[in-house]
Amino acid sequence: MTTPPATEESERARPAGPSPERGLLPQLGPAFVAAIAYVDPGNVAANLTAGAQHGYLLLWVLVVANAMAVLVQYLSAKLGVVTGRTVPEHLRDRLSRPGRFAFFGQAQAVAVATDVAEVIGGAVALGLLFGLPLWLGGLVTGAVSTAVLALHGRRGVRRFEAVVIGMLGVIAVGFVAGLFVAPPDPAEAAAGLVPRFEGAGTVLLAASMLGATVMPHAIYLHSALARDHHGPVTPARVPRVLRATRTDVVAALVVAGVVNISMLLLAATSLRGVEGTDTLEGAHAAVVASLGPVVGLLFAIGLLASGLASTSVGSQAGAVIWEGMLHRTPPLLVRRLLTLAPAIALLVAGVDPTRALVLSQVVLSFGIPFVLVPLLRFTGDRALMGPFADGRPVRVLAWLAVGAVIALNVVLLVLTFTGA
């Protein structure tokens, strides 16, 4: 197999990774960073709403969503490892100049929508913890996430990964802790694994949970994370690196899946039928009232870590899009201002945070087909991937998953705009 040559710009931007494999542990990390996208504030809001309103009914949705995420994220990482290039770089090679700029425009709209959700989540958490006004909490979230991003440029990929993975650990503790205080009913939880709906409301909520699970920015980013973590991979190393990548993806998304499932179980066990749990503030108040201030504090800390980590990861995805599509990357502060300004403007304008979260997820839905369809075409292309191209069973499963995600996002958009 011949690895396509990288451009001079991408070679300069690519940190050197370890050449020889030195055990499994040093090869893990990229998927744990990408997994932050699956435990962002939008996921928190959707999972808590599902559990509080419908108990364990939609637990199966999270299991299916996680299985889809494992497949899609692995394919993105595989593309980066095998070809040494990212999804945006491959797209740039295949698009005309007008098409490239149009694609870049929609990808940046996705980046802005991502930042809106993450910054709002961080702002709400800072309000819960310290009583900060939302606009000020948004500025603090933006400032801290910018500092985290600076680690990527100054200290390298591994330091950035370590900080983000640490935040993932905080998120896990914050949202899993409540289950030790109020364990779920095993029989009811098992019943929630059976796929079913109860009315149009549960269909809409399931579409929101499942259709918005695969985030565009996580796919753009993962191809770059895997490439940069492992460095240039010779054909002889590819099979070993891909085995490690599979382990990385499965382990990371198991963690993300456990966190998401814990949110729903917590809400189903302790918040079912409680008024106001359709907002993050209301859910926090209900957690405090039901499980006590300590669990409430851990919940707020988990939400804060979710906002900080996810906005850092989302912004790094924006840099990958800039570099891949246009072969240039603006300074960090410029990039942060471009995506942070709309989120701060919404908070200053007094827009309801929960409503803004919902609308940001709708915008993200538009970007799903633009990245999933090209990704599957790339990883299934034998001329590009050589012997590591997707086999027929993987292609069938992947296209079925992509079709389901796109269909559910269409349902979500239609129901959102019609108010059904």
Side-chain angles (χ1 to χ4, degrees), residues 87-312:
V87 173
E89 286 174 331
H90 284 291
L91 284 165
R92 184 185 189 279
D93 292 343
R94 289 160 175 78
L95 294 173
S96 64
R97 182 179 176 86
R100 189 160 63 245
F101 281 101
F103 194 98
F104 174 79
Q106 68 81 28
Q108 283 303 302
V110 165
V112 170
T114 300
D115 228 17
V116 166
E118 326 306 27
V119 170
I120 286 176
V124 170
L126 286 170
L128 296 173
L129 289 167
F130 306 110
L132 294 185
L134 286 176
W135 66 269
L136 181 56
L139 288 175
V140 172
T141 301
V144 174
S145 64
T146 302
V148 173
L149 279 169
L151 291 173
H152 189 278
R154 295 177 185 172
R155 303 290 182 87
V157 175
R158 297 300 178 90
R159 183 62 59 88
F160 177 72
E161 288 177 356
V163 171
V164 174
I165 291 170
M167 289 186 179
L168 179 60
V170 174
I171 295 168
V173 172
F175 292 120
V176 174
L179 294 182
F180 291 95
V181 178
D185 181 279
E188 289 192 47
L193 297 175
V194 179
R196 65 193 191 282
F197 298 104
E198 290 181 1
T202 61
V203 176
L204 174 58
L205 193 51
S208 177
M209 295 166 64
L210 182 56
T213 289
V214 181
M215 293 295 184
H217 69 281
I219 300 169
Y220 291 123
L221 179 61
H222 203 166
S223 56
L225 292 170
R227 177 199 68 183
D228 295 347
H229 183 93
H230 295 285
V233 179
T234 62
R237 286 182 61 214
V238 169
R240 295 194 298 273
V241 173
L242 288 183
R243 284 195 295 271
T245 298
R246 284 192 288 271
T247 302
D248 189 32
V249 171
V250 171
L253 288 174
V254 164
V255 172
V258 167
V259 172
N260 279 316
I261 288 171
S262 296
M263 295 177 201
L264 188 145
L265 293 178
L266 176 67
T269 302
S270 304
L271 310 181
R272 195 184 313 190
V274 177
E275 293 294 328
T277 50
D278 54 346
T279 68
L280 293 174
E281 298 94 333
H284 175 261
V287 167
V288 172
S290 176
L291 302 177
V294 173
V295 175
L297 175 63
L298 292 174
F299 177 94
I301 292 173
L303 179 61
L304 176 60
S306 171
L308 292 174
S310 53
T311 191
S312 300

